[in-house]
Amino acid sequence: MSLLRPKTTVSAHCDLPCGVYDPAQAKIEAQSVKAIQEKFQGNDDPAFRTRALAIKEERADLVKHHLWVLWTDYFKPNHLEKYPELHDLFWQATKAAGAAGAKGSVDPADGQKLLDLIDRISTIFWETKAA
């Protein structure tokens, strides 16, 4: 039996090496959402606006996906202990990316609100990476 037992035990706080997680992915998509909202406001062409809305909704869904990957795969209970606002922050950010927020809005202020929330998550993320 001792032949099957590993000689070295390793541990990690995430599922894969930490280099795969980065809030920049969510931020890039959120920047696209805001840029589309701005372009939508400056263009009256119905075909352009229809296409812009479809792309904006896709990008908003990607924001939610990247946020949920961070929340469910990277952040662990010890992070929540140190940053008790994390749960609410992720809830607010995914709501801000969804139909009640940037996904359902053409107002660049909603896109900026989403970016601000992602920046707050990013600050905490990088603090945890430095620890």
Side-chain angles (χ1 to χ4, degrees):
M1 279 308 242
S2 65
L3 291 175
L4 299 176
R5 198 168 300 144
K7 293 181 183 189
T8 305
T9 302
V10 297
S11 64
H13 79 110
C14 57
D15 299 331
L16 290 171
C18 291
V20 302
Y21 300 108
D22 194 325
Q25 295 168 308
K27 185 167 184 170
I28 289 167
E29 299 301 348
Q31 288 170 329
S32 295
V33 168
K34 184 181 177 199
I36 292 167
Q37 290 167 326
E38 291 169 345
K39 290 180 183 295
F40 183 93
Q41 295 298 328
N43 195 314
D44 292 331
D45 177 41
F48 174 86
R49 285 182 151 215
T50 299
R51 185 162 150 44
L53 290 175
I55 295 168
K56 177 183 63 73
E57 290 182 6
E58 284 177 9
R59 299 295 158 202
D61 279 337
L62 287 170
V63 171
K64 291 192 303 183
H65 168 76
H66 291 303
L67 288 173
W68 278 109
V69 167
L70 280 175
W71 181 231
T72 60
D73 293 354
Y74 175 78
F75 286 104
K76 301 297 181 205
N78 61 309
H79 297 132
L80 190 56
E81 289 173 18
K82 185 170 181 180
Y83 303 96
E85 71 276 21
L86 264 177
H87 179 74
D88 187 58
L89 191 52
F90 271 96
W91 184 82
Q92 287 180 44
T94 53
K95 286 293 196 184
K103 182 178 179 179
S105 171
V106 293
D107 184 353
D110 290 324
Q112 186 59 53
K113 178 182 174 184
L114 175 58
L115 284 165
D116 293 344
L117 289 163
I118 292 169
D119 283 343
R120 289 172 53 198
I121 290 169
S122 183
T123 298
I124 294 171
F125 173 84
W126 289 109
E127 286 176 9
T128 66
K129 291 276 287 191

